[in-house]
């Protein structure tokens, strides 16, 4: 079984379209880790595109606030402005869909995998470093948990007294105008927290849209996760953010990858 794992699309239609085109034909299921909307200029188009494709979806904090389930008062001013704008733009159908998305962690059928937006112990907690990962790795209900929220591709692993950080190694410079991938083997007996990265607003200093494909173990093969980066029409995404009247910082940061 192969699953396409997406997180933090954040209403970036051009990035989502590029990812779906690049991953076409390479997966049987699509697992959506939330923050479908917020920040970007195309919340309805993104919802309409990703909703019928998603096998399983967990809510993100921007989804929860954008549909009115919780207050935006804990967001910084830029995020708050974007989420309030998103509330006015969402159709009634998409607002209702976002309200119905369940909180993680969820477990896809017939797998030993869990899906969450933030930490599997608390959907709003960020897992940024090994100290953040320590408790989730010890207490999560499955050996593999896919999470998002940080917009940083990679993850953490633990086996007995060995703890490791996972960071995909890509070529830099001109190579970042191309698509790249990095395969990581998920060794049996090791617990893993894996972040596919952000489709729509990466924050790991690489502007390209990020996603991952998980291949479950079959016969003599171990499970793997292949991290991907793909370029997209970033200038159009930026122009649409500006045209929508959203904060200019949201357009600028797309090119910075942070």
């Amino acid at each position: 079984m192969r699953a396409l794992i997406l997180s933090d699309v954040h209403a970036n239609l051009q990035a989502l379209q590029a990812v779906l085109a690049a991953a076409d034909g390479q997966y049987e299921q699509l697992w959506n880790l939330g923050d479908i909307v917020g920040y970007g200029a195309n919340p309805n188009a993104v919802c309409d595109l990703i909703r019928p494709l998603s096998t399983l979806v967990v809510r993100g904090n921007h989804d929860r606030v954008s549909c009115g389930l919780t207050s935006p008062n804990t967001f910084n001013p830029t995020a708050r402005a974007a989420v309030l704008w998103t509330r006015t733009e969402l159709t009634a159908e998409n607002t209702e869909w976002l309200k119905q998305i369940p909180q993680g962690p969820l477990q896809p059928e017939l797998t030993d995998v869990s899906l969450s937006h933030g930490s599997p112990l608390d959907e709003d907690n960020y897992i940024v470093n090994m100290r953040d990962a320590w408790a989730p790795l010890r207490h999560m209900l499955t050996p593999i948990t896919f999470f998002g929220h940080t917009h940083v591709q990679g993850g953490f692993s633990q086996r007995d007294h060995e703890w490791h950080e996972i960071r995909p190694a890509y070529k830099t410079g001109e190579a970042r105008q191309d698509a790249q991938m990095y395969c990581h083997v998920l060794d049996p007996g090791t617990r893993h927290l894996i972040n596919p990265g952000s489709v729509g607003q990466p924050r790991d200093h690489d502007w390209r849209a990020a996603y991952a494909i998980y291949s479950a173990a079959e016969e003599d093969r171990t499970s793997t996760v292949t991290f991907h980066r793909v370029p997209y029409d970033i200038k159009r995404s930026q122009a649409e953010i500006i045209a929508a009247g959203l904060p200019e910082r949201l357009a600028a940061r797309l090119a910075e990858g942070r």
Side-chain angles (χ1 to χ4, degrees), residues 89-111:
E89 291 293 314
L90 282 169
T91 64
E93 182 182 9
N94 285 328
T95 298
E96 187 59 30
W97 177 59
L98 292 172
K99 285 182 178 179
Q100 298 304 317
I101 297 175
Q103 176 180 347
L106 302 178
Q107 187 171 350
E109 292 183 2
L110 305 177
T111 71

Side-chain angles (χ1 to χ4, degrees), residues 6-20:
L6 306 183
S7 190
D8 298 282
V9 178
H10 280 295
N12 187 332
L13 179 62
Q14 290 73 32
L16 177 60
Q17 290 171 329
V19 164
L20 292 175

Side-chain angles (χ1 to χ4, degrees), residues 13 16-17 20 30 43-54:
L13 179 62
L16 177 60
Q17 290 171 329
L20 292 175
L30 192 159
N44 289 307
V46 163
C47 287
D48 293 342
L49 178 56
I50 204 169
R51 180 172 57 193
L53 300 176
S54 298

Side-chain angles (χ1 to χ4, degrees), residues 168-178 180-181 206 208:
Y170 298 116
K171 293 180 181 178
T172 59
E174 290 299 319
R176 285 205 169 160
Q177 302 303 314
D178 303 321
Q180 293 182 330
M181 66 178 67
D206 186 338
R208 297 172 298 176

